[in-house]
Structure formats: C-alpha cells, structure tokens
Amino acid sequence: MTDPRNDSSSVRPLRSDLAAKWCIVVLISVVLVGPSTCAAKTRHLRWEVDYKYWSPDCVEGAVMSINGQFPGPIIRAVVGDTISVELTNKLATEGVVIHWHGIRQLGTPWADGTASISQCPINPGEIFTYRFKVDKAGTYFYHGHYGMQRSAGLYGSLIVQAGEGEKEPFHYDGEFNLLLSDWWHKSSHEQELGLSSVPFRWIGEPQSLLINGRGQYNCSLAASYRNSTSTAQCQFRGREQCAPFILPVLPNKTYRLRLASSTALASLNLAIGGHKMVVVEADGNFVQPFAVDDLDIYSGESYSVLITTDQDPRQNYWIAVGVRGRPPNTSQALTVLNYRPNSASKLPASPPPTTPLWNDYNHSKSFSTKILALAGSPRPPATHDRRIFLLNTQSKFSGQTKWSINNISLSLPPTPYLGALKYNLHGAFEARSPPESFPADYDVMHQPANPNTTVGSGIYTLALNTTVDIILQNANTLSANTSEIHPWHLHGHDFWVLGYGEGKFTAEDDDKRLNLKNPPLRNTAVIFPYGWTALRFVADNPGAWAFHCHIEPHLHMGMGVVLAVGADAVGKMKIPSEALTCGLTAKMMAANNGGHS
C-alpha cells in the first residue's frame, strides 16, 4: 500500500465497468493505517485560482477551481507538518482568500484566510503565500472566505494524519473521504445581488447536493424505485464530471468515512442502507463512540464514522444524503457502497434510506446530545471569567433584509482587523464594542416588535488566557412561527459545547444543566430553532478571529462577530506586510517604507 503521507490525493479512480448501464467513476481511498514513520516536513503547494466551465451535477456552469480542479486538491499532512501554499489569483476581477477550516493557526493568525479580518483580499494577478503548522490530527477542509466564493465552489479537503508515536483510539482497514456541498445553477454573484436587493430576492434552494463535487440534477440513480415516469435514470457515459464516486469495499472489513460539510446553505443527513455508523471524531476531536443509523451534519462540521461491511456481500448498498432544517426542495444525493467483486453499476436491492422529516428537530437534538468527549480529553475550566450572550435575529436596515447579533449586523471594514490591532490604528473600525447581551424582556418566540437594526464593525476584545462563555440564543425571524437552524463556527480556537436548551437561556435555571464533565470540543456548533447553545473556550490564541453563522447567505447578510484576543500580543507579532496592504495599514506601511515588522 502507498503511505498516505506521500500521497497528495485521497482519491484514485478505477476503470469503469464498460458494460454497465451507466458509466460510473469509482472512488478508492484505502490508505495505510498506523503511526507515522516520517519526521515533520514542510509541504509546498502552488495553486492558481480561476473560473472554469464544469458540470458538477451534469449541468454546465462556471465553478471556481484550483489548478483546474473542482473541488480543489486534497491536502494530506501529518501532525507537526508545515503547509505552505503559494496562491496566485488568476481571477479577472475578484479578490480571493482561503480559510483553513478547523486549523487553529497558533501563532499565525495572518494565515487564517478571512478577508477584512486576518488579511486583505489577494487581488487579481497577485501572489500570496499561506504558511502554517497543523497541530492536531483530524478531518478538516478549506474554502473561500471572501464574498460568497464558497457558494461558487471554492473548497477542498484537508486531512491531518496522526503524528509519529501517536495512536488513534480506534482501528480501521481503510478510509474514504466524502466532502459534501450544495450547488446552484445561478451564479454566486446573482445570489449575492439578490440578498442585498430591495426588495429581497432569493434565488431559492440549491438545485443539487454534491458528494466530492459530483451530483445529479433532474435524474435519479434510483429511478427504478421512484415509480415515476418524470424521473429519468441518469446516463453518465462520457460525463465523468458528474458521475458519482463509488466506494469500493471488501466484505467483513472496517472502514473510516471522513465526512465534512462545506455547504453554503443546506443542513444535511447521511445514511448508508443496511449499515450502522459509529461516530468516533467530530471537528478534529475524538468522541465517545456511539452507533447511529443516520447522521446530521451542518455546514462547517466534520466527522469520522466507522462502518463494518458485514451485510450480504452479493449486494451493493445506497449512500444517501438529504436536506434537513429546510423544506426539502432539493433531491437526495446518492452514491453506492460497492461490495467487491460486485459490479460497481449493480443497483442495490433496496430503495435508498429515507431522510428524516426536515423539521424533526427532536431527531436532530437526539444526535447532537450524544456527542461527548472521549475519556481523557481536555475538560473545560470550572467557571468563566466572562459571559457574552449573542441573540440571533432577522431584521431590516434601509429596506434590506439583514441578520443581526444583539441588533447589530456585521459590516466588515476595508482595513483588516488584524492590521488595525497590530499597528493600533484608531478609526479602522468602530471604536464602541457591541452589546454583550440583549434586553431581558425580548420575546424570542415571536417576531421582533421593532424589526429595524443597525450595522456596525465593532469587536469584542478578550483578555489573553481568559475563559469565555458564549450563549447563542435563537429567536423568531421576521416571519411568524419561523426560526431557523444556525451552525456557528469559531476561528482560531476550539470550544466546549456545554449544552443545548429550549426557549430563552436563564442562568438561574440553565447553569445547573450545563455539562462540565465530558462536553465535546468542537469548532462548529448548531443552535436549534427557538433554542440556545452554551459554549466555553479559553482565549489563548492572539489574533483577530471571526465567529459567525457558517451558512453563507447569513454571514453575507451580517450574521457574525469578530473577537480580538490578546491585542498587546498581536502588536508584537511579525506579520507579513503583504497580508495588510490595503486600507489604513497600506497607507501607514507606505509612509514607513513597508516591509516586515
């Protein structure tokens, strides 16, 4: 077998069955399992970002590609490695940045890849080098973090293997990597325009769901089970870009499925016909193993699950991905778990697993509350130094529909926050800090009495090494009887998920319900409709860090905040000047003749 530490990709296509009814590309990523025998190294990558015509779901359109690939290249590294990505922006009219989702960027906050927060956008024709260390094994991914470029397809997988002498607390014979996403036939620019238009114009639900960048629109792999003359069976011969990746397995083996969701909008549910899944990792952290029939995965989350191929070896089995949390106007994504030596094109004998009802939130909560830290994992501090309440509401500003946090819709400034902190630039962003709570009499169960909001660029300043609680509070939107799911992602840190609850959080009643014994460490956590989620983290990583809803339209409409951690320490950092050559920092560096400082 090939050592994955020397393999730049986790997928290797096999020859399709030429006699099949449809042509299918088979995915194989069985990799060596065991401790590393390699010393830490620097992995040099050269990337060019550009638009390319592609057919992710058999309908051609423009996608954002890296080195002509969609999704972007898979990065495989080992704990302790340094990743160096020399990125050239080949886009004609747009800036670009790449965020390395789940990588904490310890000591390298300028490499986090957040436009207007950690760096300036990389302008057309410019080159920028990201250089950072990966410090923890796990399943991660990367994606664009400028405008709505994730919606345009700028994403890929990042897998970090255990380092030398490290051993993961589970065994498997091989692994597969599944990156899940959603796809529209209208461009991200049209979607972006509609979100800011007056009146609001929504382009609608995605046309398809993608597995490793491949999906099917207006046809079904499982058409024979639909009993519908309007749903055609897919024909893939000569259409490799949208032919499903098939997972080839051998009977009576254990496989690790690495799952990550880079969706722009959709919350998802994944199930494998006839097979239990044992959850063992969440967002790069080991969890107490537990078995499920299906798994909810929200935008920004990642998991590892183990499956055992103990079913009838004469059959193949469906892998199904469906929409949760929104009316399911997008068809399931389907592919096949192919028991070898069966033909890859042999249809499973049973229909695909059925996605739970989109609004069965009890099902979702049951899954989320089962995720607990593995014994021996870091435990949270017993108390907090500071507690911030963040009320998630929908609102109006100058006729535009916005999302707001404590009645402020985030508006990013032209000068990156990190540069403003580094050089103590007054006037680079709003001096007044945002509110740390919301009115005690706010009714989270009904539409806001006053739907108007303000926009702002203020930040929450956190003292270094303090323990911070954040209580995410969900509420009703502008529409009656409506509250949406929001997956929140924190940059630069992991947090402990202390608990979930219904209605409005009250310390008197709910503090006693928080889990301080074995809460899971995550970098993304969901708040359910009309509910709250309690998080705790130690602000131990100096920098300017985004904390936001990972649903792309929601962030674009203002649903986020910025946390400044250890501002004095940031001032002493050596930050590459090319990260900050815009706004007030550009003027200041020009006056001082630029360079590193």
Side-chain angles (χ1 to χ4, degrees):
M1 284 187 176
T2 301
D3 189 329
R5 289 165 287 273
N6 299 320
D7 184 11
S8 62
S9 171
S10 69
V11 298
R12 179 163 55 91
L14 298 179
R15 295 180 66 90
S16 298
D17 184 346
L18 298 179
K21 289 182 289 184
W22 20 269
C23 175
I24 300 178
V25 174
V26 180
L27 164 69
I28 184 168
S29 63
V30 180
V31 299
L32 182 67
V33 178
S36 168
T37 58
C38 303
K41 60 193 294 186
T42 299
R43 300 181 181 272
H44 294 279
L45 304 170
R46 288 186 176 180
W47 285 2
E48 293 184 348
V49 175
D50 205 350
Y51 280 102
K52 188 178 183 71
Y53 281 115
W54 206 266
S55 303
D57 61 358
C58 304
V59 176
E60 188 178 69
V63 305
M64 295 193 77
S65 68
I66 298 175
N67 294 350
Q69 298 182 42
F70 170 76
I74 298 174
I75 299 175
R76 281 192 177 272
V78 177
V79 168
D81 283 354
T82 295
I83 294 175
S84 178
V85 180
E86 182 186 283
L87 189 147
T88 301
N89 181 1
K90 304 287 284 189
L91 304 172
T93 59
E94 296 176 60
V96 70
V97 298
I98 300 284
H99 169 57
W100 315 94
H101 187 106
I103 305 301
R104 292 182 291 179
Q105 301 294 348
L106 299 172
T108 53
W110 54 268
D112 189 47
T114 46
S116 295
I117 300 175
S118 66
Q119 71 171 108
C120 305
I122 307 164
N123 291 322
E126 290 184 344
I127 298 173
F128 182 85
T129 299
Y130 292 99
R131 188 177 176 89
F132 55 91
K133 183 174 287 189
V134 290
D135 69 306
K136 186 166 59 171
T139 304
Y140 307 102
F141 64 104
Y142 60 85
H143 59 81
H145 215 294
Y146 180 57
M148 296 187 65
Q149 292 178 343
R150 177 159 51 96
S151 215
L154 186 54
Y155 45 74
S157 294
L158 197 170
I159 307 301
V160 181
Q161 305 280 359
E164 187 171 1
E166 296 180 341
K167 188 175 181 180
E168 294 174 308
F170 44 84
H171 169 79
Y172 52 98
D173 300 301
E175 72 174 43
F176 298 95
N177 180 61
L178 300 183
L179 181 62
L180 311 177
S181 53
D182 42 15
W183 190 249
W184 284 261
H185 292 164
K186 291 185 178 180
S187 74
S188 60
H189 300 296
E190 190 167 354
Q191 183 175 7
E192 193 172 333
L193 174 62
L195 295 174
S196 57
S197 293
V198 180
F200 180 82
R201 296 178 64 172
W202 173 236
I203 68 170
E205 303 299 308
Q207 273 64 61
S208 54
L209 303 177
L210 308 181
I211 301 174
N212 287 343
R214 296 168 182 246
Q216 296 77 48
Y217 173 70
N218 207 27
C219 69
S220 173
L221 296 181
S224 58
Y225 297 110
R226 305 282 188 185
N227 296 319
S228 171
T229 57
S230 62
T231 305
Q233 185 169 308
C234 304
Q235 302 292 327
F236 296 116
R237 191 174 301 280
R239 308 175 75 181
E240 183 177 326
Q241 291 179 353
C242 60
F245 278 117
I246 305 301
L247 278 63
V249 295
L250 296 175
N252 300 311
K253 300 289 185 181
T254 297
Y255 292 89
R256 178 182 189 169
L257 271 60
R258 296 182 181 268
L259 310 171
S261 175
S262 65
T263 57
L265 177 69
S267 302
L268 302 176
N269 179 272
L270 183 142
I272 304 173
H275 293 72
K276 291 272 189 183
M277 295 179 287
V278 177
V279 181
V280 293
E281 177 214 345
D283 293 352
N285 297 285
F286 299 131
V287 300
Q288 293 181 21
F290 64 98
V292 291
D293 294 315
D294 60 85
L295 171 147
D296 280 349
I297 180 167
Y298 302 98
S299 178
E301 291 188 327
S302 65
Y303 292 98
S304 283
V305 300
L306 303 180
I307 63 168
T308 301
T309 51
D310 55 3
Q311 299 302 298
D312 183 350
R314 298 168 298 178
Q315 303 296 330
N316 291 334
Y317 300 87
W318 291 113
I319 299 174
V321 179
V323 172
R324 301 281 278 120
R326 303 179 68 86
N329 296 323
T330 308
S331 298
Q332 281 184 312
L334 297 173
T335 190
V336 173
L337 190 69
N338 170 215
Y339 273 59
R340 306 297 281 177
N342 297 328
S343 167
S345 58
K346 179 181 179 180
L347 284 171
S350 301
T354 302
T355 303
L357 290 176
W358 70 273
N359 56 356
D360 183 357
Y361 297 118
N362 288 332
H363 186 91
S364 306
K365 294 171 187 175
S366 174
F367 172 75
S368 294
T369 54
K370 289 177 182 175
I371 303 172
L372 300 170
L374 189 67
S377 299
R379 295 175 65 171
T383 60
H384 60 271
D385 300 310
R386 184 174 175 184
R387 176 172 277 179
I388 300 172
F389 293 83
L390 299 180
L391 174 68
N392 295 234
T393 56
Q394 200 176 49
S395 48
K396 291 285 188 178
F397 178 79
S398 296
Q400 293 180 323
T401 301
K402 293 285 189 179
W403 287 98
S404 298
I405 305 303
N406 293 348
N407 208 40
I408 296 178
S409 184
L410 180 64
S411 177
L412 296 175
T415 301
Y417 289 99
L418 189 67
L421 295 175
K422 163 70 177 172
Y423 297 110
N424 195 27
L425 296 177
H426 299 288
F429 56 85
E430 190 175 327
R432 185 174 60 177
S433 296
E436 301 210 0
S437 187
F438 57 93
D441 61 353
Y442 189 93
D443 185 356
V444 301
M445 304 303 293
H446 295 91
Q447 296 157 276
N450 180 359
N452 296 314
T453 189
T454 59
V455 297
S457 60
I459 58 175
Y460 293 97
T461 301
L462 308 180
L464 193 60
N465 295 320
T466 55
T467 299
V468 180
D469 278 8
I470 294 183
I471 309 298
L472 295 168
Q473 178 67 64
N474 213 342
N476 203 100
T477 67
L478 290 172
S479 301
N481 304 313
T482 304
S483 184
E484 297 187 14
I485 277 178
H486 302 292
W488 274 75
H489 171 58
L490 177 61
H491 294 228
H493 303 77
D494 284 353
F495 49 66
W496 289 276
V497 183
L498 302 185
Y500 306 88
E502 310 289 335
K504 188 186 294 185
F505 180 92
T506 59
E508 182 179 1
D509 295 327
D510 294 320
D511 269 344
K512 65 189 74 170
R513 302 174 50 195
L514 301 182
N515 175 15
L516 300 179
K517 179 182 178 182
N518 57 358
L521 266 173
R522 305 292 301 268
N523 62 58
T524 305
V526 64
I527 43 172
F528 294 105
Y530 300 109
W532 55 262
T533 299
L535 314 175
R536 178 168 294 175
F537 72 100
V538 178
D540 57 1
N541 190 10
W545 306 109
F547 183 43
H548 61 91
C549 178
H550 208 259
I551 292 175
E552 189 95 308
H554 291 184
L555 174 59
H556 182 73
M557 297 163 67
M559 197 172 195
V561 299
V562 176
L563 310 178
V565 176
D568 291 342
V570 172
K572 300 173 184 177
M573 285 184 170
K574 290 185 177 181
I575 300 174
S577 59
E578 57 267 28
L580 305 175
T581 53
C582 60
L584 297 180
T585 50
K587 295 179 182 179
M588 188 216 66
M589 285 189 290
N592 295 329
N593 202 25
H596 286 67
S597 59

